[in-house]
Amino acid sequence: MQMSYAIRCAFYQLLLAALMLVAMLQLLYLSLLSGLHGQEEQDQYFEFFPPSPRSVDQVKAQLRTALASGGVLDASGDYRVYRGLLKTTMDPNDVILATHASVDNLLHLSGLLERWEGPLSVSVFAATKEEAQLATVLTYALSSHCPDMRARVAMHLVCPSRYEAAVPDPREPGEFALLRSCQEVFDKLARVAQPGINYALGTNVSYPNNLLRNLAREGANYALVIDVDMVPSEGLWRGLREMLDQSKQWVGTALVVPAFEIRRARRMPTNKNELLQLYQVGEVRPFYYGLCTPCQAPTNYSRWVNLPEETLLRPAYVVPWQDPWEPFYVAGGKVPNFDERFRQYGFNRISQACELHVAGFDFEVLNEGFLVHKGFKEALKFHPQKEAENQHNKILYRQFKQELKAKYPDSPRHC
């Protein structure tokens, strides 16, 4: 009898120890999860541990608050701006990927979320009242079903000043209320959207690209401002963070990310070796090669493709700015805003690069990272009204350069 009692005690002690071990392993597992990095690990976590309904409620409350404000008018009075439909917390020293899009082009956001591991900020333009409604419903659907959207994306909305965006009713449009996963939302958007050139809106409303760019990069210390139909090389965010964290010497330097365009976007190159293979057979070429070769030529693509292979991201060579170079870059410090008088097509990015040069920034080209635009930009496929828009902005650009002389009277540089 005494032996049986001793056996039972030993059994219960063993059972208690096993339970304590399980509890400790669970705590260890949760601790490890908090330090996970990378898209695959995050996806696996959210698959087994979906976010609580409260987190979705918080997103909905933020969206409702932003829309209830009625927005604010921009400096011209032509546009109504809603900041922070979605908000995200981020390290003040982080590198933000800032982009802009019409509602139809939001489907490109999926590819950016896959490639860019850091925070994103996107400004959405809704040209009509119906598009403004769709934008709010999409914001709610994406944030409800896409954990990455809630964790890493800030979203802002701009529409013509005569319209006001409304708080979305989850039942309208009805088809979005039936969606249950992130992939379903993007699949539905792909079916209803008509993606194309942002400023080919089919309305008499001008696409305010520079207003949208400024809004997306607002408050960022370091930002990479790109077009929404471009894709960064794999690991670019991580490489930039490591480089910038190691030294503060890059403040006042524009770190240029070479830009390319690919004939077919079925499989985007992930690293420089894959890019060069496609480059050698003509499937990839410098960005704007068929439209404005001088706009990207100073990047010196022939030098870049022949750089020795390296594992660490770093600046490879200095390039003096020259008109009409409009590079894509990362910069910290007092980066000038984009001039919001430039709308639609022409000189909107050149003008900002010009001021960056006059303000004293130097340009250094990165060795390994790159951007790829989906599709070749061809003159015959470009916006049919580009010549009229170009002429208006060309005159404005001349005026802009004269204004820089007064703004920076002590600068020895000019455009």
Side-chain angles (χ1 to χ4, degrees):
M1 185 72 177
Q2 188 174 0
M3 180 67 70
S4 176
Y5 177 77
I7 293 174
R8 286 201 302 270
C9 286
F11 172 76
Y12 288 128
Q13 288 176 346
L14 182 62
L15 179 61
L16 181 61
L19 290 173
M20 291 179 65
L21 179 62
V22 170
M24 290 176 64
L25 289 173
Q26 287 178 332
L27 289 173
L28 178 62
Y29 178 61
L30 291 173
S31 176
L32 290 173
L33 278 177
S34 66
L36 283 177
H37 296 283
Q39 185 67 38
E40 182 178 351
E41 290 88 348
Q42 291 181 17
D43 287 345
Q44 289 175 351
Y45 171 71
F46 286 120
E47 181 180 352
F48 292 104
F49 301 96
S52 66
R54 184 181 177 187
S55 63
V56 176
D57 289 341
Q58 290 173 339
V59 169
K60 185 176 180 180
Q62 170 59 38
L63 178 60
R64 186 181 297 274
T65 300
L67 293 173
S69 70
V72 296
L73 298 183
D74 77 320
S76 72
D78 294 337
Y79 301 98
R80 189 176 300 276
V81 177
Y82 294 88
R83 286 178 170 83
L85 297 190
L86 290 181
K87 288 185 176 181
T88 182
T89 56
M90 60 188 73
D91 183 336
N93 294 318
D94 213 332
V95 184
I96 297 173
L97 187 70
T99 190
H100 57 97
S102 60
V103 177
D104 283 336
N105 280 324
L106 273 177
L107 56 87
H108 293 294
L109 193 56
S110 175
L112 292 180
L113 282 167
E114 291 177 5
R115 280 291 180 90
W116 186 263
E117 299 165 299
L120 289 88
S121 179
V122 55
S123 299
V124 183
F125 181 63
T128 66
K129 188 175 182 179
E130 291 74 23
E131 285 188 1
Q133 180 192 18
L134 179 58
T136 58
V137 171
L138 275 173
T139 302
Y140 178 72
L142 289 169
S143 60
S144 295
H145 300 298
C146 304
D148 260 357
M149 289 287 295
R150 290 193 298 277
R152 297 197 285 128
V153 177
M155 186 171 286
H156 318 281
L157 176 65
V158 175
C159 59
S161 57
R162 61 182 178 273
Y163 302 134
E164 287 194 26
V167 176
D169 183 338
R171 297 169 298 179
E172 296 293 342
E175 59 266 25
F176 282 94
L178 302 176
L179 304 179
R180 292 293 178 266
S181 71
C182 187
Q183 189 59 52
E184 285 185 8
V185 178
F186 278 111
D187 289 345
K188 183 63 180 179
L189 178 57
R191 291 194 295 271
V192 302
Q194 297 179 342
I197 301 170
N198 276 327
Y199 44 79
L201 298 173
T203 70
N204 59 357
V205 178
S206 295
Y207 185 81
N209 35 33
N210 278 357
L211 168 62
L212 296 167
R213 290 183 176 114
N214 286 336
L215 186 60
R217 65 186 287 271
E218 196 171 72
N221 188 11
Y222 288 96
L224 173 58
V225 183
I226 68 171
D227 296 338
V228 75
D229 53 357
M230 304 182 92
V231 176
S233 54
E234 196 170 79
L236 180 57
W237 171 78
R238 195 181 311 111
L240 287 168
R241 275 303 307 259
E242 292 173 355
M243 186 181 73
L244 295 172
D245 286 346
Q246 289 173 1
S247 173
K248 302 299 182 184
Q249 72 181 87
W250 309 119
V251 173
T253 301
L255 302 167
V256 177
V257 183
F260 296 83
E261 52 190 37
I262 189 168
R263 188 190 305 273
R264 301 175 184 86
R266 287 193 297 270
R267 185 178 183 277
M268 305 295 281
T270 61
N271 55 50
K272 190 172 181 178
N273 284 335
E274 292 181 6
L275 179 82
L276 294 182
Q277 291 175 10
L278 295 169
Y279 185 84
Q280 290 166 359
V281 297
E283 288 298 304
V284 163
R285 67 185 188 185
F287 186 61
Y288 260 37
Y289 182 81
L291 285 174
C292 181
T293 303
C295 293
Q296 297 296 323
T299 303
N300 197 344
Y301 288 92
S302 59
R303 180 175 181 178
W304 189 84
V305 299
N306 288 298
L307 289 173
E309 183 179 354
E310 297 183 74
T311 55
L312 295 179
L313 188 68
R314 66 170 185 83
Y317 52 91
V318 178
V319 177
W321 186 85
Q322 55 184 291
D323 205 356
W325 191 25
E326 48 178 26
F328 297 92
Y329 65 87
V330 176
K334 296 182 179 180
V335 179
N337 281 333
F338 292 85
D339 191 305
E340 295 176 8
R341 293 174 296 176
F342 291 91
R343 303 174 185 175
Q344 294 284 95
Y345 171 74
F347 298 92
N348 47 80
R349 287 197 306 109
I350 296 173
S351 56
Q352 199 260 358
C354 165
E355 182 169 359
L356 201 67
H357 164 68
V358 174
F361 281 74
D362 295 319
F363 294 80
E364 299 193 31
V365 181
L366 294 172
N367 60 339
E368 292 292 321
F370 57 85
L371 299 167
V372 181
H373 177 270
K374 298 176 182 178
F376 282 177
K377 282 185 171 289
E378 303 287 359
L380 293 178
K381 298 178 182 178
F382 222 48
H383 194 281
Q385 298 177 346
K386 73 182 183 86
E387 290 303 326
E389 297 160 358
N390 220 9
Q391 285 303 313
H392 174 269
N393 284 348
K394 188 174 184 178
I395 295 170
L396 179 57
Y397 183 48
R398 294 197 194 105
Q399 175 186 334
F400 175 81
K401 290 193 286 186
Q402 292 300 315
E403 293 169 353
L404 289 183
K405 294 179 180 179
K407 187 174 181 179
Y408 301 93
D410 298 327
S411 175
R413 300 178 176 185
H414 57 84
C415 296

